[in-house]
């Protein structure tokens, strides 16, 4: 304990734990005199004990904004998604590589009391603690919020679960596909007369990750105002139900049960994919003027003043007949012809692209949505880049996703000030592991 206290005092001396006036500020690091290209989360340390998608997606976004993310993994196994493939690049799964850039990996056995001690010491010098264990699992080993709050009252502790901290389902494990079914998304996804369909990407997980990301940012601002940390309860079910938005409101306000509409929209017509000679074109008509424009492009001017289609309400009522007319016209031309005709019209439109077409789109390239990195074992890799850009700082070249335990000794030595002897003992005992270069 004396050694740990000495390390903590040394860290305070470097102002890693000092904010304005000696209190805990928004950032744990020292102020910088030059603010050119300084990212908003520089100096913030994130202790990341999450696996799979929702948590890693949240912490990756925090890392993109300059936070130092320390990813805690199980020795020998690591994040579950390391094995989720194919495809693999060398021994690395594309899944893991997609959501773990800008992180350092430390492999710690938290079933060992010495491993728990390491996590607590890291929490004491970090600003944020993120985990996605079933409620009670971390408390059982001494790493629950109550345990961490005692030693790090400044901590923003974000717990991501399937169903929440309490309640009849709180002890269930949560995966995206189950939460999307349980929370209603799967019921409204799929062809109108077909079976429910899982969305092509784990949107419930990703939405939860974005909620957690925003909540952590709010927590940091709250701490800046109050000087105190807090606990954040974020879960897949709540995120999914909240994201039902107008579909949920249709039921809660109008008692209207939801249906599946394929690519169409329950309340807007036309707003769907239309088959062309060689593919599909998606068209969204948001008002009567846009409907008139579409009718002119399709050379169907007679529809503009047809009393059955004068307003969106009427178009919804007469959906079947109108869509039949529009569909017959769209099928007569190639997608490229329709893209040319719709260009500059003011109407929202676009093709249904496959992945090859997405990443060949000029706008996707212009938005820098392909992020290339040099991975230490597999060489150059490319993943989707950050969705948001900022005027006062740039998203600099990202660090590649870490190898399992790649930074274990670095973190113990540089962050916690362990000496070589202590690190060697932990490695020998299997409390921690360090990736050995091949």
């Amino acid at each position: 304990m004396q050694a740990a206290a000495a390390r903590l005092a040394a860290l305070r001396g470097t102002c890693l734990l000092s904010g304005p006036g000696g209190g805990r500020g928004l950032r744990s690091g020292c102020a910088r005199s030059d603010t050119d290209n300084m990212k908003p989360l520089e100096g913030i340390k994130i202790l990341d004990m999450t696996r799979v998608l929702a948590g890693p997606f949240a912490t990756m976004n925090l890392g993109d904004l300059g936070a130092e993310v320390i990813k805690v993994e199980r020795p020998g196994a690591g994040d579950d998604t390391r094995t989720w493939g194919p495809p693999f690049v060398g021994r690395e799964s594309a899944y893991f590589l997609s959501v773990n850039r800008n992180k350092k990996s430390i492999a710690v056995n938290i079933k060992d009391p010495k491993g728990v001690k390491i996590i607590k010491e890291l929490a004491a010098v970090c600003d944020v603690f993120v985990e996605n264990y079933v409620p009670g699992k971390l408390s059982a080993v001494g790493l629950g919020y109550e345990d961490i709050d005692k030693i790090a009252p400044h901590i923003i502790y974000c717990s991501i679960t399937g169903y929440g901290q309490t309640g009849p389902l709180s002890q269930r494990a949560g995966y995206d596909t189950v939460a999307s079914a349980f929370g209603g998304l799967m019921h409204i996804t799929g062809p109108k007369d077909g079976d429910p369909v899982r969305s092509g990407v784990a949107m419930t997980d990703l939405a939860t990750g974005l909620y957690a990301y925003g909540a952590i940012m709010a927590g940091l601002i709250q701490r800046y105002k109050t000087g105190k940390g807090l606990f954040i309860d974020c879960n897949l079910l709540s995120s999914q139900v909240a994201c039902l938005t107008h579909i949920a409101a249709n039921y809660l306000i109008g008692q209207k049960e939801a249906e599946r509409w394929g690519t169409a929209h329950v309340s807007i017509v036309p707003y769907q994919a239309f088959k062309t000679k060689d593919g599909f074109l998606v068209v969204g008509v948001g008002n009567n003027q846009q409907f008139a424009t579409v009718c002119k492009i399709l050379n169907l001017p007679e529809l503009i003043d047809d009393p059955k289609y004068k307003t969106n309400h009427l178009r919804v009522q007469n959906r079947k007949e109108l869509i039949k007319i529009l569909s017959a016209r769209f099928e007569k031309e190639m997608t490229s012809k329709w893209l040319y005709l719709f260009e500059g019209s003011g109407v929202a439109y676009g093709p249904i692209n496959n992945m090859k077409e997405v990443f060949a789109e000029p706008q996707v390239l212009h938005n820098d949505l392909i992020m290339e990195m040099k991975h230490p074992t597999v060489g150059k890799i490319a993943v989707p880049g950050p969705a948001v850009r900022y005027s006062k700082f740039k998203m600099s070249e990202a660090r590649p996703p870490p190898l399992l335990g790649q930074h274990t000794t670095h973190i113990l030595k540089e962050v916690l000030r362990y000496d070589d002897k202590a690190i060697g003992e932990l490695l020998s005992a299997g409390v921690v592991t360090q990736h050995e270069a091949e």
Side-chain angles (χ1 to χ4, degrees):
M1 287 299 292
Q2 288 180 336
R7 283 195 297 274
L8 200 56
L11 289 165
R12 284 199 177 96
T14 64
C15 80
L16 283 171
L17 295 182
S18 299
R24 193 80 187 192
L26 184 62
R27 295 198 306 273
S28 60
C30 303
R32 276 177 44 170
S33 57
D34 77 286
T35 57
D36 292 344
N37 204 38
M38 186 172 73
K39 296 181 182 179
L41 295 185
E42 282 190 30
I44 293 289
K45 282 187 170 65
I46 313 288
L47 187 56
D48 180 9
M49 296 190 67
T50 66
R51 303 91 68 209
V52 188
L53 184 54
F57 187 62
T59 56
M60 179 184 72
N61 278 283
L62 294 167
D64 284 342
L65 293 181
E68 179 181 355
V69 181
I70 299 173
K71 183 177 179 71
V72 179
E73 301 190 72
R74 292 173 295 163
D79 190 315
D80 295 347
T81 62
R82 287 185 180 274
T83 64
W84 285 10
F88 291 96
V89 186
R91 297 181 182 178
E92 303 293 326
S93 76
Y95 197 123
F96 177 83
L97 295 174
S98 72
V99 289
N100 283 287
R101 65 175 174 264
N102 289 326
K103 300 178 185 181
K104 297 175 182 177
S105 172
I106 179 172
V108 182
N109 178 9
I110 63 170
K111 294 181 179 179
D112 188 305
K114 292 180 180 178
V116 171
K117 177 174 173 286
I118 290 170
I119 300 303
K120 286 185 174 180
E121 290 175 349
L122 284 171
V125 297
C126 284
D127 300 277
V128 179
F129 187 116
V130 195
E131 56 89 3
N132 64 345
Y133 287 78
V134 172
K137 291 290 185 182
L138 285 185
S139 294
V141 298
L143 293 175
Y145 174 64
E146 297 79 7
D147 305 297
I148 300 302
D149 183 52
K150 289 176 184 176
I151 60 169
H154 64 274
I155 207 80
I156 307 301
Y157 190 115
C158 179
S159 178
I160 302 172
T161 61
Y163 300 90
Q165 296 297 310
T166 58
L169 302 180
S170 61
Q171 293 303 301
R172 282 194 189 180
Y175 271 131
D176 169 271
T177 189
V178 178
S180 69
F182 199 88
L185 178 62
M186 202 176 287
H187 172 71
I188 58 175
T189 305
K192 183 169 177 56
D193 299 316
D195 294 334
V197 172
R198 174 186 175 274
S199 59
V201 70
M203 290 309 301
T204 304
D205 262 346
L206 295 171
T208 304
L210 289 174
Y211 270 118
Y213 164 70
I216 289 167
M217 299 286 269
L220 289 168
I221 294 172
Q222 177 79 347
R223 188 183 72 188
Y224 180 75
K225 293 180 175 181
T226 67
K228 299 177 181 179
L230 52 75
F231 178 82
I232 296 168
D233 174 4
C234 196
N235 65 82
L236 300 181
L237 177 62
S238 295
S239 297
Q240 179 51 67
V241 173
C243 284
L244 290 174
T245 58
H246 66 283
I247 299 298
N250 289 348
Y251 173 76
L252 294 171
I253 297 171
Q255 285 72 56
K256 179 178 174 58
E257 183 54 78
E259 304 175 54
R260 287 183 287 283
W261 285 97
T263 66
H265 195 290
V266 61
S267 303
I268 310 172
V269 174
Y271 196 99
Q272 65 180 75
F274 291 95
K275 192 170 184 179
T276 66
K277 254 187 179 181
D278 63 338
F280 293 89
L281 185 78
V282 178
V283 176
V285 171
N287 56 51
N288 297 331
Q289 183 179 343
Q290 290 179 359
F291 178 67
T293 300
V294 169
C295 292
K296 292 173 184 175
I297 292 172
L298 270 60
N299 197 24
L300 296 169
E302 66 275 12
L303 298 181
I304 297 173
D305 295 317
D306 191 311
K308 297 192 296 292
Y309 312 129
K310 288 284 286 182
T311 68
N312 179 69
H313 181 69
L314 291 168
R315 291 192 290 273
V316 171
Q317 285 184 334
N318 297 287
R319 177 195 302 264
K320 190 172 183 180
E321 179 183 348
L322 176 58
I323 295 304
K324 183 177 180 180
I325 295 169
L326 299 179
S327 296
R329 183 71 184 96
F330 273 110
E331 283 196 271
K332 291 182 178 179
E333 303 290 351
M334 306 284 277
T335 303
S336 58
K337 176 70 174 293
W338 290 123
L339 293 174
Y340 172 77
L341 292 174
F342 271 87
E343 178 67 30
S345 66
V347 175
Y349 70 97
I352 296 180
N353 285 333
N354 60 28
M355 293 302 102
K356 182 178 180 179
E357 291 164 336
V358 167
F359 291 105
E361 278 285 352
Q363 189 65 50
V364 170
L365 298 175
H366 174 80
N367 289 358
D368 290 329
L369 289 169
I370 301 176
M371 178 174 276
E372 294 184 342
M373 296 170 282
K374 187 175 181 181
H375 190 273
T377 61
V378 300
K380 189 171 78 170
I381 60 171
V383 297
V388 180
R389 292 294 185 270
Y390 303 85
S391 64
K392 298 298 184 181
F393 65 91
K394 295 179 180 179
M395 295 293 189
S396 57
E397 185 176 349
R399 294 188 304 274
L403 303 170
L404 173 58
Q406 180 180 346
H407 306 96
T408 297
T409 57
H410 167 81
I411 292 167
L412 292 175
K413 185 176 292 187
E414 300 300 325
V415 178
L416 295 182
R417 304 292 196 260
Y418 276 52
D419 59 29
D420 291 339
K421 180 182 178 183
I423 294 172
E425 290 172 352
L426 290 168
L427 289 167
S428 297
V431 178
V432 301
T433 58
Q434 167 69 38
H435 180 85
E436 298 297 335
E438 297 178 359

